[in-house]
Coordinates of all heavy atoms in Angstrom, one line a residue:
L4 N -0.4 88.8 41.5 CA -0.2 87.4 41.7 C -0.4 86.6 40.4 O 0.3 85.6 40.1 CB -1.0 86.8 42.7 CG -0.8 87.2 44.2 CD1 -1.8 86.6 45.1 CD2 0.6 87.0 44.7
F5 N -1.3 87.1 39.5 CA -1.5 86.4 38.3 C -1.7 87.5 37.2 O -2.1 88.6 37.5 CB -2.7 85.4 38.3 CG -4.0 86.1 38.5 CD1 -4.7 86.5 37.5 CD2 -4.4 86.3 39.9 CE1 -6.0 87.0 37.7 CE2 -5.6 86.9 40.0 CZ -6.4 87.2 39.1
V6 N -1.5 87.2 36.0 CA -1.7 88.1 34.9 C -2.8 87.6 34.0 O -2.7 86.3 33.5 CB -0.3 88.3 34.0 CG1 -0.5 89.3 32.9 CG2 0.8 88.7 35.0
T7 N -3.8 88.5 33.6 CA -4.8 88.0 32.8 C -4.4 88.0 31.3 O -3.4 88.7 30.9 CB -6.0 89.0 33.0 OG1 -5.7 90.3 32.5 CG2 -6.5 89.1 34.4
D8 N -5.2 87.3 30.5 CA -4.9 87.3 29.1 C -4.9 88.7 28.5 O -4.2 89.1 27.7 CB -5.9 86.5 28.3 CG -5.8 85.0 28.6 OD1 -4.7 84.6 29.1 OD2 -6.7 84.2 28.3
E9 N -5.8 89.6 29.1 CA -5.9 90.9 28.6 C -4.7 91.7 28.9 O -4.2 92.5 28.1 CB -7.2 91.7 29.2 CG -7.4 93.0 28.8 CD -8.6 93.7 29.3 OE1 -9.7 93.0 29.4 OE2 -8.5 94.8 29.8
D10 N -4.1 91.5 30.2 CA -2.9 92.2 30.5 C -1.8 91.8 29.6 O -0.9 92.6 29.2 CB -2.5 91.8 32.0 CG -3.5 92.5 33.0 OD1 -4.2 93.4 32.7 OD2 -3.6 91.8 34.1
V11 N -1.7 90.5 29.3 CA -0.7 90.0 28.4 C -0.7 90.6 27.1 O 0.3 91.1 26.4 CB -0.7 88.4 28.3 CG1 0.2 87.9 27.1 CG2 -0.4 87.8 29.6
E12 N -2.0 90.8 26.5 CA -2.2 91.4 25.1 C -1.8 92.8 25.1 O -1.2 93.3 24.2 CB -3.6 91.1 24.7 CG -4.0 89.8 24.3 CD -3.0 89.1 23.3 OE1 -2.7 89.8 22.3 OE2 -2.6 87.9 23.4
Q13 N -2.1 93.6 26.2 CA -1.8 94.9 26.3 C -0.3 95.1 26.4 O 0.2 96.0 25.8 CB -2.5 95.5 27.7 CG -4.0 95.8 27.5 CD -4.5 96.3 28.7 OE1 -3.9 96.4 29.8 NE2 -5.8 96.7 28.7
E14 N 0.5 94.3 27.2 CA 1.8 94.3 27.3 C 2.5 94.1 26.0 O 3.5 94.7 25.5 CB 2.4 93.4 28.4 CG 3.8 93.4 28.6 CD 4.4 94.8 29.1 OE1 3.6 95.7 29.4 OE2 5.6 94.9 29.3
I15 N 2.0 93.0 25.3 CA 2.6 92.7 23.9 C 2.3 93.9 23.0 O 3.3 94.3 22.3 CB 1.9 91.5 23.4 CG1 2.4 90.2 24.1 CG2 2.2 91.3 21.9 CD1 1.6 88.9 23.7
D16 N 1.2 94.5 23.0 CA 1.0 95.7 22.2 C 2.0 96.9 22.5 O 2.5 97.5 21.6 CB -0.4 96.2 22.2 CG -1.4 95.3 21.6 OD1 -1.0 94.4 20.7 OD2 -2.7 95.4 21.9
R17 N 2.2 97.1 23.8 CA 3.0 98.1 24.2 C 4.4 97.8 23.7 O 5.2 98.7 23.2 CB 3.1 98.3 25.7 CG 3.9 99.4 26.3 CD 4.1 99.4 27.8 NE 4.9 98.3 28.2 CZ 6.2 98.2 28.1 NH1 6.9 99.3 27.6 NH2 6.9 97.2 28.6
L18 N 4.9 96.6 23.9 CA 6.3 96.2 23.5 C 6.5 96.3 22.1 O 7.5 96.6 21.5 CB 6.6 94.8 24.1 CG 6.8 94.7 25.6 CD1 6.9 93.3 26.0 CD2 8.1 95.6 26.0
V19 N 5.4 95.8 21.3 CA 5.6 95.8 19.8 C 5.8 97.2 19.3 O 6.6 97.5 18.3 CB 4.4 95.2 19.1 CG1 4.2 95.5 17.7 CG2 4.4 93.7 19.4
N20 N 5.3 98.2 19.9 CA 5.3 99.6 19.6 C 6.4 100.4 20.2 O 6.7 101.5 19.9 CB 4.0 100.3 19.8 CG 2.9 99.8 19.0 OD1 3.1 99.6 17.7 ND2 1.8 99.5 19.6
S21 N 7.2 99.7 21.0 CA 8.3 100.3 21.7 C 9.5 100.6 20.8 O 10.0 99.8 20.0 CB 8.8 99.5 22.9 OG 10.0 99.8 23.4
D22 N 10.0 101.8 20.9 CA 11.2 102.2 20.0 C 12.4 101.3 20.5 O 13.3 101.0 19.6 CB 11.5 103.7 20.2 CG 10.5 104.5 19.4 OD1 9.9 104.0 18.5 OD2 10.5 105.7 19.7
D23 N 12.5 101.1 21.7 CA 13.6 100.2 22.2 C 13.6 98.8 21.6 O 14.6 98.3 21.3 CB 13.7 100.2 23.7 CG 14.0 101.5 24.4 OD1 14.6 102.4 23.8 OD2 13.5 101.8 25.5
V24 N 12.5 98.2 21.5 CA 12.2 96.9 20.9 C 12.7 97.0 19.5 O 13.4 96.1 19.0 CB 10.9 96.4 21.1 CG1 10.6 95.1 20.3 CG2 10.6 96.1 22.6
K25 N 12.2 98.0 18.7 CA 12.5 98.2 17.3 C 14.0 98.4 17.2 O 14.6 97.7 16.2 CB 11.8 99.4 16.7 CG 10.3 99.2 16.7 CD 9.6 100.5 16.2 CE 8.0 100.3 16.2 NZ 7.3 101.5 15.9
L26 N 14.6 99.1 18.0 CA 16.1 99.3 17.9 C 16.8 97.9 18.2 O 17.8 97.6 17.4 CB 16.6 100.3 19.0 CG 18.1 100.6 19.1 CD1 18.5 101.2 17.9 CD2 18.3 101.5 20.3
A27 N 16.4 97.2 19.1 CA 17.1 95.9 19.4 C 16.8 94.9 18.3 O 17.8 94.1 17.9 CB 16.5 95.3 20.7

Side-chain angles (χ1 to χ4, degrees):
L4 296 177
F5 66 93
V6 180
T7 66
D8 290 343
E9 185 178 313
D10 292 338
V11 170
E12 292 304 318
Q13 286 177 353
E14 182 67 4
I15 289 172
D16 288 341
R17 183 190 71 77
L18 290 168
V19 164
N20 294 314
S21 167
D22 287 340
D23 292 332
V24 170
K25 291 174 184 175
L26 179 65

